[in-house]
Amino acid sequence: MAAETVDTAAAAAHRPGSVRVHVRAALRRAAPALALFAAVRCAGVLCAALWAWHTGRHPRNLLGATWDSNWYLGVARYGYGSPAPHHMWPPDHLADLAFFPLYPGLIRGVSAVLPVGALNAGLLLAWTASAVAAWGIFAVGAHLYGRRAGTFLVVLWALLPHAVIESLSYTEPLLTALAAWALYALLTDRPLWAGALAVLAGLARPNGLAVAAAVMVAAAVRMTAAGRTWRRGCDLERPVLRRARPLWPYWAAALIAPAGWLGYVLWVGARTGAGPRGYFRVQEIWGSRFDFGRDTLRSVKRLFLHNEPLVQHLAAAVVAVAILLLVLLVLDRPPLPLLAYTAVLVVMALGGTGYFPSKPRFLLPAFPLLVPAAVALARARPRSVVLATGSLAVLSLGYGVYLLAMAPLPL
């Protein structure tokens, strides 16, 4: 009877229009979370716009042409190897190879189809990616912990102190969208979709490699589980054994998952003429290496010895909270692919040299870190929820304006 039910459901899923029906149902289920996310981010954009008008700047330029956004726009408009935008540091003709190609490629494609220009196309893509990311975050949270926890997971992601990044022409929203849906695909046994999304994530950002790690861990878990089932079920009847899911989709997903990241790294090596080390030499132009966190520890030490700006202190606070949340996530024993993705992101963010104020931005795609807090809010009393989210909203909106318009260091 159970097998008949599964077969009937599988047949229904392949009927014409069924995919559209499922998407609409999923969107309706996520609608409250997406509405809250949109309200928070619209408030953030409004605060940034008001400050831009107050200082005589155009809000669009403040949101769409800030720091790294100019590099992505330069690649989208002129390709790799163009002069540094606005004489930004470093003035090396190889410097823009540090910026992965998916986002500037999408900007070029959208601006070619729509008469909006590269800057507006970048903002349109970033805001769309943020919304898709919020939907994927809800899908993961609701699947594992229930609809209420999924909603709070989205709200917390929207209320991070550095959540202003979700409204800028940066690649973190794009990576988060790809990662969230890849993780959801793994959790719902769709490995090929997860592998394809991991390829795109590897073309979006260097730490997109974390998505590939999650896919490979999921494949290893499935292989191990299949081996145990086979050893325990050698005496089972053939009809039962035939119903086992094939393993080849997981093998295929694990093989293709790192292809995007690896392909771009090898292409940069060929472009620079330095072989496989070419990409890492480009990163060294920016002063970026992997030193297992020694530079991060030195940056924290400087906070106690020197008078550092606010952005440095809050970055240290975010890093400390992230480590604590990672410990709580481990204790919660989430699915291994989710844990692998989060751990790789944290290690890559904290283990790299330089750009200490940017560590919170590098951690932005690590939304599973917020799971313990989201589950706690889902169980909390309404008064506690209002107090916690209200305090986070004041911090996020206020600090977002400071980070974008007043901080002396780049995002």
Side-chain angles (χ1 to χ4, degrees):
M1 186 67 180
E4 292 177 3
T5 303
V6 172
D7 293 340
T8 303
H14 290 88
R15 289 173 186 165
S18 63
V19 174
R20 192 181 310 157
V21 171
H22 285 303
V23 170
R24 287 178 180 173
L27 189 57
R28 283 196 300 270
R29 189 165 184 251
L34 296 181
L36 290 170
F37 175 80
V40 172
R41 294 315 327 140
C42 285
V45 170
L46 179 60
C47 290
L50 291 173
W51 184 262
W53 285 320
H54 174 71
T55 56
R57 297 184 63 181
H58 197 292
R60 184 189 60 180
N61 295 331
L62 184 64
L63 296 170
T66 299
W67 299 110
D68 285 3
S69 301
N70 287 314
W71 287 95
Y72 286 114
L73 290 173
V75 174
R77 288 166 174 158
Y78 312 113
Y80 287 104
S82 58
H86 306 298
H87 307 289
M88 291 180 66
W89 183 92
D92 191 297
H93 73 286
L94 297 177
D96 59 3
L97 291 172
F99 297 89
F100 277 49
L102 181 60
Y103 185 55
L106 291 173
I107 292 175
R108 178 177 292 187
V110 170
S111 58
V113 173
L114 301 176
V116 294
L119 196 155
N120 290 328
L123 279 175
L124 177 63
L125 284 166
W127 292 354
T128 302
S130 290
V132 174
W135 188 8
I137 290 170
F138 171 82
V140 171
H143 178 78
L144 291 175
Y145 304 99
R147 185 175 178 180
R148 184 174 172 83
T151 300
F152 279 115
L153 190 61
V154 172
V155 171
L156 288 173
W157 190 67
L159 290 176
L160 290 170
H162 46 289
V164 66
I165 303 296
E166 297 164 17
S167 302
L168 305 184
S169 289
Y170 273 55
T171 51
E172 279 77 13
L174 179 60
L175 174 59
T176 308
L178 295 169
W181 286 108
L183 291 172
Y184 182 73
L186 290 175
L187 293 172
T188 54
D189 201 24
R190 296 177 175 91
L192 293 179
W193 277 107
L197 291 170
V199 173
L200 294 176
L203 292 170
R205 284 192 56 78
N207 53 359
L209 192 61
V211 185
V215 174
M216 290 187 283
V217 167
V221 169
R222 180 52 65 97
M223 307 298 174
T224 303
R228 290 174 180 171
T229 302
W230 182 82
R231 286 193 297 271
R232 293 173 182 173
C234 286
D235 296 330
L236 296 179
E237 298 178 0
R238 266 179 208 279
V240 176
L241 292 176
R242 278 199 204 104
R243 289 200 294 267
R245 283 185 174 274
L247 295 179
W248 70 264
Y250 282 90
W251 280 108
L255 287 173
I256 67 172
W261 185 90
L262 186 61
Y264 182 69
V265 168
L266 293 177
W267 179 83
V268 171
R271 176 75 178 259
T272 60
R277 282 190 51 81
Y279 169 75
F280 301 99
R281 291 184 180 177
V282 169
Q283 288 291 344
E284 289 173 0
I285 294 172
W286 291 86
S288 181
R289 302 182 309 279
F290 191 82
D291 70 347
F292 298 94
R294 288 191 293 271
D295 186 71
T296 298
L297 291 175
R298 283 193 293 267
S299 298
V300 173
K301 182 180 178 181
R302 282 195 295 269
L303 296 178
F304 297 95
L305 301 177
H306 304 284
N307 186 21
E308 298 289 343
L310 174 63
V311 65
Q312 295 273 41
H313 290 274
L314 198 58
V318 170
V319 166
V321 172
I323 294 173
L324 174 61
L325 290 175
L326 180 60
V327 172
L328 293 176
L329 183 66
V330 172
L331 295 176
D332 192 51
R333 301 180 65 183
L336 281 179
L338 200 75
L339 184 58
Y341 164 76
T342 310
V344 171
L345 278 179
V346 172
V347 169
M348 292 184 74
L350 304 188
T353 61
Y355 303 99
F356 184 73
S358 299
K359 301 296 185 186
R361 173 165 68 88
F362 300 155
L363 290 169
L364 189 72
F367 67 89
L369 290 174
L370 302 171
V371 163
V375 173
L377 284 176
R379 299 169 179 169
R381 296 178 178 179
R383 182 178 178 180
S384 300
V385 170
V386 171
L387 180 61
T389 55
S391 301
L392 287 174
V394 172
L395 172 63
S396 178
L397 298 179
Y399 184 67
V401 173
Y402 167 80
L403 195 62
L404 186 59
M406 292 177 280
L409 298 172
L411 294 173

